[in-house]
Amino acid sequence: MPYALFYNDAQLSKAYPSEADVWKIAQQSGLVVDVATDEDRPGPRRILDNDYEIKPCRTGPGEDPAKNKADAERQSRMELQFNS
């Protein structure tokens, strides 16, 4: 089942093959923050900023979550090259 980034039930991102893929995209986009945890959990935990959520989604017509992931990875590599 594909996953995407949502805000108030509106899908903000393309669909990706897994929840972990969306977390990675959100991290690269600066949407993940670390917060202090309660005393039951050691260390900080990651949450999405501004009440964003990652949820299962349907794919749009002609949308391919695997292609979206490959495109995002290619874009990330290109950005790293340009920033070097």
Side-chain angles (χ1 to χ4, degrees):
M1 171 170 286
Y3 288 81
L5 183 69
F6 286 81
Y7 180 73
N8 288 339
D9 293 324
Q11 184 173 332
L12 301 177
S13 73
K14 296 177 182 179
Y16 293 91
S18 72
E19 185 176 359
D21 296 323
V22 183
W23 272 104
K24 184 176 179 181
I25 298 298
Q27 176 74 41
Q28 292 169 345
S29 299
L31 300 176
V32 178
V33 294
D34 291 331
V35 295
T37 60
D38 54 37
E39 54 196 49
D40 294 337
R41 295 183 186 175
R45 63 184 175 103
R46 299 182 323 162
I47 64 166
L48 293 168
D49 201 9
N50 298 322
D51 297 323
Y52 293 119
E53 297 178 275
I54 296 173
K55 301 192 287 189
C57 68
R58 296 178 188 249
T59 56
E63 185 176 24
D64 180 359
K67 182 181 181 310
N68 292 343
K69 178 182 177 182
D71 290 346
E73 289 172 347
R74 188 172 28 262
Q75 180 68 29
S76 178
R77 284 191 302 273
M78 287 175 53
E79 288 173 3
L80 285 174
Q81 290 175 352
F82 288 130
N83 291 334
S84 298

PDB file of all heavy atoms in Angstrom, residues 37-45:
ATOM      1  N   THR A  37      11.382  13.296  24.804  1.00  0.00           N
ATOM      2  CA  THR A  37      10.430  12.221  25.056  1.00  0.00           C
ATOM      3  C   THR A  37      10.037  12.211  26.519  1.00  0.00           C
ATOM      4  O   THR A  37      10.630  12.890  27.353  1.00  0.00           O
ATOM      5  CB  THR A  37      11.041  10.857  24.694  1.00  0.00           C
ATOM      6  OG1 THR A  37      12.212  10.657  25.492  1.00  0.00           O
ATOM      7  CG2 THR A  37      11.404  10.805  23.233  1.00  0.00           C
ATOM      8  N   ASP A  38       9.055  11.406  26.808  1.00  0.00           N
ATOM      9  CA  ASP A  38       8.672  11.234  28.199  1.00  0.00           C
ATOM     10  C   ASP A  38       9.690  10.329  28.880  1.00  0.00           C
ATOM     11  O   ASP A  38      10.602   9.804  28.256  1.00  0.00           O
ATOM     12  CB  ASP A  38       7.254  10.687  28.311  1.00  0.00           C
ATOM     13  CG  ASP A  38       7.054   9.403  27.518  1.00  0.00           C
ATOM     14  OD1 ASP A  38       7.990   8.580  27.472  1.00  0.00           O
ATOM     15  OD2 ASP A  38       5.971   9.214  26.956  1.00  0.00           O
ATOM     16  N   GLU A  39       9.526  10.120  30.125  1.00  0.00           N
ATOM     17  CA  GLU A  39      10.515   9.342  30.870  1.00  0.00           C
ATOM     18  C   GLU A  39      10.519   7.859  30.525  1.00  0.00           C
ATOM     19  O   GLU A  39      11.441   7.146  30.875  1.00  0.00           O
ATOM     20  CB  GLU A  39      10.316   9.535  32.368  1.00  0.00           C
ATOM     21  CG  GLU A  39       8.906   9.244  32.818  1.00  0.00           C
ATOM     22  CD  GLU A  39       8.618   9.794  34.204  1.00  0.00           C
ATOM     23  OE1 GLU A  39       8.912  10.973  34.452  1.00  0.00           O
ATOM     24  OE2 GLU A  39       8.110   9.019  35.018  1.00  0.00           O
ATOM     25  N   ASP A  40       9.506   7.372  29.810  1.00  0.00           N
ATOM     26  CA  ASP A  40       9.462   5.968  29.419  1.00  0.00           C
ATOM     27  C   ASP A  40      10.370   5.655  28.238  1.00  0.00           C
ATOM     28  O   ASP A  40      10.743   4.513  28.029  1.00  0.00           O
ATOM     29  CB  ASP A  40       8.031   5.548  29.066  1.00  0.00           C
ATOM     30  CG  ASP A  40       7.110   5.593  30.273  1.00  0.00           C
ATOM     31  OD1 ASP A  40       7.622   5.520  31.409  1.00  0.00           O
ATOM     32  OD2 ASP A  40       5.891   5.707  30.074  1.00  0.00           O
ATOM     33  N   ARG A  41      10.699   6.670  27.442  1.00  0.00           N
ATOM     34  CA  ARG A  41      11.534   6.464  26.255  1.00  0.00           C
ATOM     35  C   ARG A  41      12.816   7.284  26.367  1.00  0.00           C
ATOM     36  O   ARG A  41      12.761   8.484  26.576  1.00  0.00           O
ATOM     37  CB  ARG A  41      10.812   6.930  24.994  1.00  0.00           C
ATOM     38  CG  ARG A  41       9.597   6.153  24.653  1.00  0.00           C
ATOM     39  CD  ARG A  41       9.053   6.678  23.347  1.00  0.00           C
ATOM     40  NE  ARG A  41       7.787   6.062  23.021  1.00  0.00           N
ATOM     41  CZ  ARG A  41       7.052   6.391  21.992  1.00  0.00           C
ATOM     42  NH1 ARG A  41       7.454   7.344  21.176  1.00  0.00           N
ATOM     43  NH2 ARG A  41       5.915   5.786  21.756  1.00  0.00           N
ATOM     44  N   PRO A  42      13.958   6.650  26.190  1.00  0.00           N
ATOM     45  CA  PRO A  42      15.206   7.404  26.240  1.00  0.00           C
ATOM     46  C   PRO A  42      15.432   8.166  24.923  1.00  0.00           C
ATOM     47  O   PRO A  42      15.077   7.699  23.850  1.00  0.00           O
ATOM     48  CB  PRO A  42      16.273   6.327  26.433  1.00  0.00           C
ATOM     49  CG  PRO A  42      15.664   5.105  25.832  1.00  0.00           C
ATOM     50  CD  PRO A  42      14.182   5.221  26.050  1.00  0.00           C
ATOM     51  N   GLY A  43      15.999   9.347  25.014  1.00  0.00           N
ATOM     52  CA  GLY A  43      16.375  10.113  23.835  1.00  0.00           C
ATOM     53  C   GLY A  43      15.208  10.779  23.142  1.00  0.00           C
ATOM     54  O   GLY A  43      14.051  10.561  23.478  1.00  0.00           O
ATOM     55  N   PRO A  44      15.518  11.619  22.163  1.00  0.00           N
ATOM     56  CA  PRO A  44      14.458  12.315  21.429  1.00  0.00           C
ATOM     57  C   PRO A  44      13.747  11.391  20.446  1.00  0.00           C
ATOM     58  O   PRO A  44      14.248  10.324  20.107  1.00  0.00           O
ATOM     59  CB  PRO A  44      15.221  13.407  20.682  1.00  0.00           C
ATOM     60  CG  PRO A  44      16.585  12.867  20.521  1.00  0.00           C
ATOM     61  CD  PRO A  44      16.841  12.002  21.724  1.00  0.00           C
ATOM     62  N   ARG A  45      12.590  11.805  20.000  1.00  0.00           N
ATOM     63  CA  ARG A  45      11.870  11.060  18.979  1.00  0.00           C
ATOM     64  C   ARG A  45      11.530  12.011  17.835  1.00  0.00           C
ATOM     65  O   ARG A  45      11.439  13.219  18.025  1.00  0.00           O
ATOM     66  CB  ARG A  45      10.612  10.402  19.529  1.00  0.00           C
ATOM     67  CG  ARG A  45       9.574  11.361  20.033  1.00  0.00           C
ATOM     68  CD  ARG A  45       8.396  10.601  20.669  1.00  0.00           C
ATOM     69  NE  ARG A  45       7.481  11.556  21.247  1.00  0.00           N
ATOM     70  CZ  ARG A  45       6.333  11.914  20.690  1.00  0.00           C
ATOM     71  NH1 ARG A  45       5.953  11.374  19.552  1.00  0.00           N
ATOM     72  NH2 ARG A  45       5.557  12.806  21.262  1.00  0.00           N
TER      73      ARG A  45
END
